[in-house]
Amino acid sequence: MKNIFKIVIAIFLTVVTINAKEIVVGSDAEYPPFEYIDENGKIAGFDIDLIGEISKIAGFEYKFIKVGFDALIPALKAGKIDAIAAAMSATPERKKSVDFSDPYFFTKNLYLKLATNNSITNKEQLSKLKIGVMLGTVQEGVAHAIKGAKVIPTEGIAGSIMNLKAGKVDVVIVDSSVGFGYLKKNSDIISFLEEADGSDGFAFAFDKGKDSEFLAKFNAALKEVKENGTYDKLLIKYDLK
């Protein structure tokens, strides 16, 4: 009888393993502390750890691949990836193409300049200046909306910061959660403006209308991670709280 029970359990575990959902998650890995390439050459960060905790509860396997931020939604729509974890703001425009999870972080637009630049004090002065942004972000759209400004996008936000330090741009617009991290490490950079980004916060993205049942399980697991204290521990780990 015991042997039969063991066989039944083994078959059950095998079926569960075979049926376990495995998803390919795309990330640009250029937006610390949410995602970046660590010293071992692997994609790491807050988003990556959060997906890991969600997967334990929702019961799915996953692997990450690096995709440029502006190519993430096209890759999702083409079926090359199953989800996006890239500190992506849930905007009305993006919602036309993807289904977002419940939000997991809220941020604002932060305007940065060199500490030695005393000529820039408000947004109205940016009309004829060079503005650095990360390609494909909400901040790129904000910069393009400033009449007369020359927008200089980079693949990663680090490139925009380097351009600011080198005098190639006058201002950088970035998510406040990421921008404050750079301010802590770069005393020669300061912020002069913070404003709402017009989104529903950072969220994970899935192809529109493809798997509502999985998304529901994913959101339920995200809620549990927030409620059981794990989320707060991750905020502390990545200095986001």
Side-chain angles (χ1 to χ4, degrees), residues 1 9 11 14 27-28 34 48 88 95 97-98 100 121 129 131 150 154 160 162 166 188 191 211 218 229 235 241:
M1 187 68 178
I9 292 296
I11 293 174
T14 300
S27 178
D28 68 302
F34 292 95
I48 284 66
M88 181 172 281
K95 287 180 180 180
S97 301
V98 305
F100 280 109
T121 58
L129 301 183
I131 302 177
K150 183 177 181 180
T154 55
S160 294
M162 290 176 62
D188 55 339
S191 64
D211 198 341
F218 187 95
L235 289 178
K241 189 173 183 179

Side-chain angles (χ1 to χ4, degrees), residues 2 17 20-21 32 44 51 74 86 114 152 161 168 177 179 187 191 202 205-208 240:
K2 290 182 178 180
T17 301
K21 186 177 182 69
I51 286 286
L114 291 178
I152 302 178
I161 298 297
K168 295 180 180 179
S177 53
S187 59
S191 64
F202 289 169
F206 302 85
D207 200 0
K208 195 168 187 65
L240 288 168

Side-chain angles (χ1 to χ4, degrees), residues 4-31:
I4 293 175
F5 179 74
K6 290 180 180 180
I7 292 172
V8 171
I9 292 296
I11 293 174
F12 173 77
L13 292 175
T14 300
V15 171
V16 169
T17 301
I18 292 173
N19 292 333
K21 186 177 182 69
E22 180 178 61
I23 63 173
V24 179
V25 186
S27 178
D28 68 302
E30 298 280 355
Y31 220 56

